[in-house]
Amino acid sequence: MFENLNWWEIGALLLLALLIFGDRLPAVINDGLRLVRNLRNMARNATGDLSRELGTDIQLEDLHPKAFIRKHLLSEEDEAAIRKPLQGVYDNIRSDVTGVHDELKDVASAADLRSSGARRATATGGSPAPAPRPSYDDAT
């Protein structure tokens, strides 16, 4: 939940909450925790009712439409039949992308003048690497 926040930002949020709510902060935290508990109980009761009505064991994670269809409506053979045509397309695209990636690596290694190209030119008696251009910062 807070993976995008560092410790300083969390501390600043807590300090801001203390300034806004003041002495009522423990009561606000208690009300928030009670709300979360009530929501969990409502979700648990809803999944229990749904399980009783459908006659299967349903978990809260199963309520996602894709997971629900995969678990309760499709057999393994049906799922394999659905995936079979798409698997061939996926394999073709994967091999094409791998080939393009390998070709790009080859081109990048051949065009890398900083590491091998400049050394080869000076070692074989060719012209040395060109001098770097002066930047705008150097002129001012």
Side-chain angles (χ1 to χ4, degrees), residues 74-95:
L74 292 177
S75 66
E76 290 181 19
E77 295 84 21
D78 293 337
E79 190 174 348
I82 290 172
R83 286 181 184 233
K84 187 177 181 180
L86 299 176
Q87 188 67 36
V89 172
Y90 173 77
D91 292 339
N92 289 340
I93 291 173
R94 178 89 176 177
S95 65

Side-chain angles (χ1 to χ4, degrees), residues 26-102:
V28 169
I29 292 173
N30 194 15
D31 290 342
L33 291 175
R34 188 178 315 119
L35 175 73
V36 169
R37 268 189 239 114
N38 287 339
L39 288 174
R40 283 184 185 165
N41 287 335
M42 287 179 6
R44 194 175 305 120
N45 290 337
T47 56
D49 293 343
L50 193 58
S51 294
R52 264 193 314 278
E53 292 293 325
L54 292 176
T56 61
D57 183 33
I58 295 178
Q59 302 297 322
L60 188 59
E61 297 84 23
D62 296 338
L63 294 179
H64 190 277
K66 287 182 181 178
F68 184 82
I69 289 172
R70 187 177 294 131
K71 184 173 181 182
H72 297 286
L73 298 179
L74 292 177
S75 66
E76 290 181 19
E77 295 84 21
D78 293 337
E79 190 174 348
I82 290 172
R83 286 181 184 233
K84 187 177 181 180
L86 299 176
Q87 188 67 36
V89 172
Y90 173 77
D91 292 339
N92 289 340
I93 291 173
R94 178 89 176 177
S95 65
D96 290 344
V97 168
T98 303
V100 169
H101 184 263
D102 292 341

